[in-house]
Amino acid sequence: MTSFRVHGTLMVDESLDDLALAYKHEVGWAQGFRINIDTRLMLLGVQRLLTSKLVSEPELRQSALVVGCRLGAMDSYEAFEASLATNQATPLAFAYALPSMPLAGVSVRHGMRGMTYTLTGQKDVGLRALRQGVGLLVSGRADRAIIGCWETPSRTAQYFNPSTRCRLLLAIIEPVKAGASFFSLANIAPGGSFDADCVAMLATCLCETDSLGSIGTTGCA
Amino acid sequence: MRVFVTGIGAVSCVGMGVASLETAMRTGISGVAEAGDDYPDLSPQAVVGMVRTIKNDAVPRADTFLALAIEEAFSSAMLGAIPQLPVYLGSAHGHLDVWQRKFRNGLPYSGSMWRLAQDFLEQRVGSVDVTVVSTACTASSVAFGLALDALRTGQCGMALVCGVESVTGFLHAGFASLRSLAVGNCRPFDRDRTGLVLGEGAAAIVLETEAHAAQRGANLLAEAAGFGFCADGVHLTAPDPTGGGASTALRRAIDDAQLDEIPGFINTHGTGTLLNDRMECLALKRVFGQTISTMPLTSTKPITGHMCGAAGAIEIVNSIIGMQNGFVPQILGLRNQDKDFADFDFVRDELRTGDFQSAISMNSGFGGTNTAVILKRAYP
């Protein structure tokens, strides 16, 4: 049986204003000055992974990236819908409404050409990202997976989560040698008893996982 | 471990079911037309591939499409009661139609954009586990790749892959604002191509390991032989003009499938936009060189419209239909082949018949995602 360990985790939790400032100072990507808050959040998180040396640029380029979002980039959906109401459709808002754009931003910024998969769904979407990230390691399609989930405030998101914070959790998952202890994914399988938003739920899961050392694949079935 | 397709289902603008698709591909009929007065969210002159037989707004259109496609796939796979089933589902915008209606009316949106087909599946399957992928127009081909890996690594014996998209005013206006829509019909690889035409619908594919299929005596429709993915990493809103990402995805799929013969035909992404068609031809040339002139190439988007997140799944289904029945559909609307692609063997004017042992289905998505799926003919 292959086992996996959480090499490191990183949490970003910023207000909209602080996200704008942090993005400007820490990422400062000229090509991305008009991107939406979801993509800024993702780029900031990946930049902090690099700054904290949890992953190097070459390692990042060779990693799989599987990140989930419960709703998608609703702020951009709302912006585009509002632009339609005034007959001034804004193509960038439409483009950024695609949930996959934050990962596309990371791919372009850092030259990632491996798996960059965006998952959407429900409150367990972070756990699904973890499971799919492990799946990519098991299948041999990647040697390292960066998994996680994010959420940003919007009018639509308010119904589910009144928080006005932009939150992202990323974790680096790597294989470990056979025989190490592992944490069964069966314990965190979707449909469990968790009742929290996606970032908090994944954080809880990863804390438990960290304390046990690594992740096994027995629960994937 | 070998994995096989044992059931397929589809809903598209050419009608309900796989048989409608087969007829349209055989006879060169397109389901794309002006919207007319039936869709108040769209201009009557908007050229789209709408599923006109489904007008029920009481439930999300995507769920209606999915329920029909999945039931057909289950029937095609001769599945009765299903105790448990992992589902890998791709969509670019999920229940956008429902969200848009609520948002415009100032109503809170208490559903989920991405809770797709869950109610139907919970009624139909004992225990269901749905993973939704949203990587723009590669979403359902990525879902296919995830399911293939799950089966190969023994995580399950059977899985369902779905793709779904519904056309909304939001989606149409979005592509219009990007200036990606065709003037009239789409004409992939034509000198005078002007863009894509949107379509809607769903496709469903039952995948099983060889052992699982053999145990229950399932009919093998095709082998799911390989999958490849590559991100462009070049530009946020335009494809890599050199075709680098698409060619790498293709190479990875060929390696994954251990394909050592020339593919029978290639079902390209073929959207009919200037940039996509050029990029895709360059990618094909990078992988196959001059050999590309001997491979029949098609695009089924003029028949179904570009079904965005469902494009991958419906085009895999189209490829299986062609391979099983020994034909490659013509590219509708292709009259004057772009001289830059003069040495490519596009299937035009009439369908091409033959004994095709393998097929490749390619897709590319906004944000620079590229996939290739390799199918091989299965024999009982």
Side-chain angles (χ1 to χ4, degrees), chain B residues 189 276-285 341 344 346:
Chain B
F189 308 109
N276 173 83
D277 291 3
R278 179 174 301 280
M279 174 281 288
E280 203 167 14
C281 286
L282 288 171
L284 287 164
K285 203 65 170 281
F341 323 139
F344 286 70
F346 296 115

Side-chain angles (χ1 to χ4, degrees), chain B residues 142-207:
Chain B
V142 167
F144 187 92
L146 290 175
L148 179 60
D149 285 349
L151 288 156
R152 281 175 171 174
T153 55
Q155 295 174 41
C156 49
M158 180 168 70
L160 178 69
V161 177
C162 303
V164 70
E165 209 67 66
S166 53
V167 170
T168 60
F170 185 105
L171 195 65
H172 196 268
F175 277 97
S177 73
L178 293 167
R179 299 180 182 179
S180 298
L181 295 179
V183 177
N185 290 326
C186 84
R187 303 167 71 177
F189 308 109
D190 193 281
R191 179 191 67 191
D192 304 317
R193 66 191 184 279
T194 53
L196 62 86
V197 166
L198 290 171
E200 65 176 3
I205 302 162
V206 177
L207 290 177

Side-chain angles (χ1 to χ4, degrees), chain B:
Chain B
M1 188 183 297
R2 296 175 76 187
V3 174
F4 290 89
V5 175
T6 57
I8 50 177
V11 172
S12 72
C13 61
V14 297
M16 301 295 116
V18 169
S20 301
L21 265 179
E22 184 186 338
T23 303
M25 291 198 299
R26 273 190 192 281
T27 55
I29 291 172
S30 171
V32 168
E34 287 190 351
D37 298 326
D38 291 340
Y39 302 94
D41 210 20
L42 297 170
S43 153
Q45 289 78 38
V47 178
V48 282
M50 303 298 286
V51 180
R52 290 173 188 273
T53 49
I54 297 172
K55 299 192 191 310
N56 185 358
D57 286 343
V59 295
R61 287 175 74 76
D63 275 0
T64 310
F65 299 156
L66 279 168
L68 291 163
I70 293 169
E71 197 56 71
E72 185 187 18
F74 285 168
S75 173
S76 158
M78 296 179 292
L79 286 167
I82 305 166
Q84 63 176 44
L85 187 68
V87 180
Y88 296 85
L89 201 155
S91 180
H93 289 286
H95 289 315
L96 179 61
D97 52 344
V98 181
W99 171 82
Q100 189 183 25
R101 211 171 302 143
K102 297 252 183 184
F103 189 77
R104 281 184 178 176
N105 293 318
L107 299 170
Y109 182 59
S110 56
S112 170
M113 288 274 285
W114 308 99
R115 195 175 187 279
L116 293 157
Q118 193 85 31
D119 294 336
F120 169 77
L121 285 164
E122 283 174 1
Q123 287 175 8
R124 188 66 177 77
V125 178
S127 170
V128 69
D129 179 16
V130 184
T131 298
V132 181
V133 182
S134 189
T135 55
C137 303
T138 58
S140 51
S141 40
V142 167
F144 187 92
L146 290 175
L148 179 60
D149 285 349
L151 288 156
R152 281 175 171 174
T153 55
Q155 295 174 41
C156 49
M158 180 168 70
L160 178 69
V161 177
C162 303
V164 70
E165 209 67 66
S166 53
V167 170
T168 60
F170 185 105
L171 195 65
H172 196 268
F175 277 97
S177 73
L178 293 167
R179 299 180 182 179
S180 298
L181 295 179
V183 177
N185 290 326
C186 84
R187 303 167 71 177
F189 308 109
D190 193 281
R191 179 191 67 191
D192 304 317
R193 66 191 184 279
T194 53
L196 62 86
V197 166
L198 290 171
E200 65 176 3
I205 302 162
V206 177
L207 290 177
E208 289 182 71
T209 60
E210 187 173 25
H212 193 281
Q215 189 179 25
R216 66 179 197 89
N219 185 27
L220 308 181
L221 304 182
E223 181 177 357
F227 171 75
F229 177 95
C230 185
D232 279 345
V234 170
H235 196 278
L236 281 169
T237 55
D240 177 356
T242 70
S247 64
T248 303
L250 193 49
R251 283 197 186 99
R252 286 174 178 166
I254 289 168
D255 289 346
D256 191 43
Q258 298 178 325
L259 188 71
D260 50 14
E261 75 264 10
I262 295 171
F265 66 90
I266 298 176
N267 191 0
T268 65
H269 192 50
T271 59
T273 64
L274 287 173
L275 293 178
N276 173 83
D277 291 3
R278 179 174 301 280
M279 174 281 288
E280 203 167 14
C281 286
L282 288 171
L284 287 164
K285 203 65 170 281
R286 283 169 77 136
V287 174
F288 294 112
Q290 290 306 316
T291 315
I292 194 66
S293 62
T294 65
M295 291 178 212
L297 305 178
T298 191
S299 165
T300 51
K301 285 190 174 67
I303 296 172
T304 61
H306 186 351
M307 289 165 60
C308 297
I314 195 95
E315 287 160 22
I316 289 168
V317 168
N318 291 345
S319 301
I320 292 169
I321 292 169
M323 202 165 51
Q324 267 194 317
N325 295 286
F327 74 90
V328 184
Q330 61 172 298
I331 303 175
L332 299 182
L334 174 55
R335 298 190 192 102
N336 302 299
Q337 192 163 324
D338 190 320
K339 64 177 172 49
D340 289 347
F341 323 139
D343 52 344
F344 286 70
D345 181 18
F346 296 115
V347 179
R348 48 185 289 194
D349 302 327
E350 59 183 7
L351 61 79
R352 186 88 51 89
T353 56
D355 180 22
F356 304 109
Q357 296 298 313
S358 59
I360 299 178
S361 185
M362 294 172 65
N363 292 102
S364 296
F366 216 67
T369 57
N370 303 278
T371 58
V373 168
I374 296 186
L375 303 156
K376 289 182 182 172
R377 194 153 172 195
Y379 294 94

